[in-house]
Amino acid sequence: MSSIPNITLNNGVTMPQLGFGVFQVPDEATTAAVATALDAGYRSIDTAAIYGNERGVGRALAESGVARDELFITTKLWNADQGHDSALAAFDASLDKLGLDHVDLYLIHWPTPARDLYSDTWRALEKLLADGRTRAIGVSNFQPAHLERLLKSASVVPAVNQIELHPGLQQRELRDLHARHGIATEAWSPLAQGAVLSDEAVVSLAAKHGRSPAQIVLRWHLQTGNVVIPKSVTEARIHENLDVFDFRLSAEDIDALTALDRGLRTGPDPDTLN
């Protein structure tokens, strides 16, 4: 298995292009799952306050023996904690649960547009960045209108926008906006919770390359330039999801998967979640 490539964020910080997500993993199961991922070779771990498993992640990190400077840890600010002062307090709570003195990436989890607090919240994240308590800051689930509005008042351009992204929901307008501003695109639900794995094009390419459907879709993400954070608590799948660096999809293969875009959203709509 080849080592995981890094991407360079717009502030010069490097981030592994493939990481390990822990969405919907109970805290008591998170420690073992993250330990398995670290043993397999993952070095980027993605959690969030609302997942309720930051302590589980922290236990795994503390017990792993992996040097802190080899790790890339992301967590996210929950909607109820948006606002300048409340965001700073929530960050302190997350850091305490993780048992760390800094994180590598801190994200606003959702724009929650009806609350209209994300610009004030962003000022808090800019302070955390300036204070060295996070190495990079970004957003999650921001649509073009949210991102364009934020950019008008921001002193720091977000390093990352983590969005639902998979062959069934490719968000090309948003990715084009990211490219214009040097914002990295990070995909959550990269396999559409399994919904795209039975598509004929995916199954056919899996047979062609002697790979699983999930490996085909993850390879599509990597060659498209996305950062990707698959989740699993199954040891075999944790290893399988990492074993995607010793083959390549052809241009025709990429085109076949790109043709699967159909607006298939598996999570909430960022324009209406508040």
Side-chain angles (χ1 to χ4, degrees), residues 10-252:
N10 58 18
N11 67 348
V13 169
T14 59
M15 176 183 189
Q17 194 181 2
L18 190 148
F20 185 71
V22 294
F23 175 56
Q24 294 181 328
V25 182
D27 188 68
E28 60 274 14
T30 296
T31 302
V34 172
T36 297
L38 293 172
D39 286 345
Y42 293 83
R43 290 297 179 263
S44 175
I45 308 297
D46 180 277
T47 184
I50 195 63
Y51 298 171
N53 55 21
E54 289 172 313
R55 291 191 190 281
V57 170
R59 287 192 298 269
L61 300 179
E63 295 166 4
S64 71
V66 178
R68 177 65 183 92
D69 62 4
E70 294 181 25
L71 296 166
F72 192 97
I73 308 303
T74 301
T75 194
K76 309 178 196 76
L77 175 78
W78 185 238
N79 304 343
D81 295 315
Q82 282 206 35
H84 182 273
D85 293 349
S86 52
L88 295 176
F91 178 83
D92 287 341
S94 285
L95 214 57
D96 180 66
K97 290 173 184 175
L98 288 164
L100 300 175
D101 63 2
H102 73 281
V103 294
D104 299 280
L105 178 62
Y106 195 48
L107 305 177
I108 299 176
H109 205 150
W110 292 88
T112 58
R115 301 188 69 216
D116 196 22
L117 291 171
Y118 58 77
S119 292
D120 282 344
T121 304
W122 189 249
R123 288 191 299 107
L125 268 65
E126 290 179 336
K127 175 175 171 50
L128 293 168
L129 179 67
D131 291 347
R133 305 189 71 204
T134 180
R135 296 173 65 225
I137 54 176
V139 295
S140 183
N141 299 301
F142 274 49
Q143 293 294 285
H146 311 138
L147 204 48
E148 287 169 343
R149 183 175 178 221
L150 181 66
L151 288 168
K152 288 178 181 177
S153 62
S155 298
V156 176
V157 175
V160 170
N161 188 11
Q162 185 184 118
I163 57 174
E164 181 178 352
L165 181 61
H166 44 74
L169 181 70
Q170 296 180 29
Q171 306 225 53
R172 296 179 211 190
E173 177 191 359
L174 190 48
R175 287 161 49 209
D176 287 345
L177 179 60
H178 294 169
R180 290 198 297 275
H181 292 280
I183 299 169
T185 300
E186 184 172 16
W188 65 260
S189 192
L191 307 176
Q193 299 186 35
V196 298
L197 300 184
S198 59
D199 282 347
E200 183 178 348
V202 176
V203 173
S204 175
L205 288 173
K208 172 184 172 181
H209 289 276
R211 297 287 174 154
S212 72
Q215 288 174 315
I216 294 298
V217 174
L218 292 174
R219 189 67 216 173
W220 173 83
H221 279 286
L222 294 169
Q223 289 183 223
T224 301
N226 304 328
V227 179
V228 63
I229 45 170
K231 179 213 86 174
S232 180
V233 295
T234 305
E235 183 173 359
R237 287 181 182 168
I238 289 172
H239 284 270
E240 177 186 289
N241 289 343
L242 194 59
D243 189 17
V244 291
F245 297 105
D246 58 354
F247 76 102
R248 286 190 65 81
L249 301 175
S250 69
E252 293 77 13

